[in-house]
Amino acid sequence: MCDGDDEDVDSVEVDFVEVTAVLEEDDGLQFQLPKHHRCACHLLNLVSTVDAAKACSNEAYKKLSRLSPVEIAFLEEYARTMSPLAKALNILQAEIDVQMGWLLPTLTLLISKLDRIRITSRYCKLLVDAIQEGLQQRFGNMLVEPEFIAAAILVPKFKTSWTTDEHIVKLGLDYIKDHLEEETSNQTPVDGSSASEEEDFFASMKSTHGQEGIKQLDGYLACKADNKEILKSFPAVCKLSLKVNTALPASAACERLFSTAGLIFSPRRARMNSKNFENQLLLKLNKKYCHFS
């Protein structure tokens, strides 16, 4: 087998094809290589090409890149299309200054940006449509949920400026007004005594507390300041804001916690006790607060 087969192998002629000239030749009208060749040649250059775009001018970038003008135009448009989505994900997955009230303003602005991108899009219209469809399927019900709308309105940064839909604003304000009345009407007397059945029966005639809550809401909405400190000036509004804005809109923080825990509790540390593991996890996640001399 050895001698005969070696002769057959040696006698096989291999044709080498030089593709450098084909890659450099480009009229911008079509791709010069079939898909499997194009993928093999361009995937290795994709990361370096994107990095080169940041460091080089457009003309220098085109000379250095092996991508055709059509491919470059597609990548640039793809980056512009995905940029708002990436920024929205970073906002919603943050761990600081993000409450449930950030969800709808972020989604609403993202949808608005994608609508504008689609108008001028040449290659990525189907991608924009797919993202829009996914957002509607996942968050469509939340976009009209009164509690989530109220949570957004009760974040001083947004109030009612994040949407131009009057129906959406009305849903949120109605929810706030109803719950402000509940919060104020359920307050116990200052001396701690409970109201009698007779007083409770005629409580609806006394709308003083409800009107006070509405006044605070009107004052909050009219205030031009957008920092959290203004909530202290409106106790009823502040209390309701804390109630509807406690939960985070994403589980990214928990996922990062489990990821960090997995890195610490490696096979070589299998004998680590729970107390030591917990301490190391806390130190790892809070290292910016730790100062060691």
Side-chain angles (χ1 to χ4, degrees):
M1 175 178 177
C2 293
D3 294 338
D5 290 346
D6 289 343
E7 291 179 359
D8 292 339
V9 172
D10 294 337
S11 63
V12 174
E13 295 183 359
V14 179
D15 294 332
F16 294 93
V17 179
E18 180 63 41
V19 298
T20 304
V22 179
L23 286 171
E24 293 178 350
E25 182 183 6
D26 185 10
D27 57 7
L29 300 178
Q30 60 184 3
F31 298 120
Q32 284 74 30
L33 295 176
K35 290 183 177 180
H36 58 287
H37 287 174
R38 190 167 70 249
C39 291
C41 294
H42 292 336
L43 282 178
L44 295 178
N45 294 305
L46 184 57
V47 175
S48 60
T49 299
V50 175
D51 293 337
K54 300 178 181 178
C56 303
S57 63
N58 193 35
E59 292 299 325
Y61 167 50
K62 290 181 179 180
K63 291 179 181 179
L64 291 174
S65 174
R66 292 182 177 181
L67 300 177
S68 71
V70 175
E71 291 172 312
I72 293 173
F74 167 76
L75 286 176
E76 291 175 345
E77 185 174 303
Y78 177 83
R80 287 195 302 270
T81 303
M82 298 301 292
S83 178
L85 179 61
K87 291 178 180 179
L89 288 173
N90 287 338
I91 291 171
L92 294 178
Q93 292 181 354
E95 298 181 13
I96 302 175
D97 293 335
V98 177
Q99 301 86 29
M100 187 60 72
W102 287 63
L103 179 62
L104 296 195
T106 304
L107 292 176
T108 302
L109 188 58
L110 173 60
I111 293 172
S112 177
K113 288 179 178 291
L114 290 174
D115 287 337
R116 291 196 295 269
I117 289 174
R118 193 185 188 283
I119 296 175
T120 59
S121 180
R122 182 180 178 186
Y123 306 102
C124 298
K125 286 186 177 180
L126 293 178
L127 175 62
V128 174
D129 292 340
I131 297 174
Q132 296 273 40
E133 183 180 353
L135 290 173
Q136 288 297 329
Q137 289 181 354
R138 178 64 180 86
F139 301 103
N141 295 332
M142 297 182 183
L143 292 173
V144 293
E145 175 62 40
E147 182 177 352
F148 295 158
I149 300 171
I153 294 175
L154 292 176
V155 175
K157 181 181 181 67
F158 303 118
K159 296 180 182 174
T160 59
S161 62
W162 56 275
T163 180
T164 57
D165 192 332
E166 295 182 359
H167 175 67
I168 295 294
V169 174
K170 185 177 183 303
L171 286 175
L173 291 178
D174 289 345
Y175 180 94
I176 295 173
K177 291 176 182 177
D178 291 342
H179 286 74
L180 279 177
E181 291 180 359
E182 291 179 5
E183 292 291 338
T184 52
S185 62
N186 290 335
Q187 290 179 352
T188 57
V190 179
D191 58 0
S193 60
S194 59
S196 63
E197 293 184 2
E198 181 179 340
E199 292 175 348
D200 184 63
F201 180 79
F202 292 105
S204 59
M205 296 175 59
K206 300 178 181 180
S207 57
T208 306
H209 293 298
Q211 291 178 358
E212 177 63 25
I214 300 301
K215 288 180 181 179
Q216 290 189 28
L217 175 61
D218 293 338
Y220 162 76
L221 295 175
C223 186
K224 294 182 179 180
D226 61 354
N227 54 63
K228 295 180 179 179
E229 299 300 321
I230 68 168
L231 288 173
K232 296 180 180 179
S233 303
F234 310 100
V237 176
C238 180
K239 185 176 182 180
L240 183 59
S241 178
L242 292 174
K243 184 176 181 179
V244 297
N245 273 307
T246 53
L248 290 171
S251 60
C254 295
E255 294 172 6
R256 282 192 284 267
L257 174 67
F258 284 111
S259 178
T260 304
L263 294 175
I264 294 175
F265 198 72
S266 61
R268 293 188 177 183
R269 295 181 173 183
R271 298 182 65 181
M272 183 187 308
N273 60 47
S274 59
K275 188 64 176 180
N276 189 9
F277 170 72
E278 181 181 353
N279 290 336
Q280 290 198 37
L281 182 60
L282 290 174
L283 288 173
K284 182 73 173 178
L285 294 175
N286 298 281
K287 59 183 179 182
K288 61 181 179 181
Y289 302 111
C290 301
H291 303 284
F292 301 101
S293 56

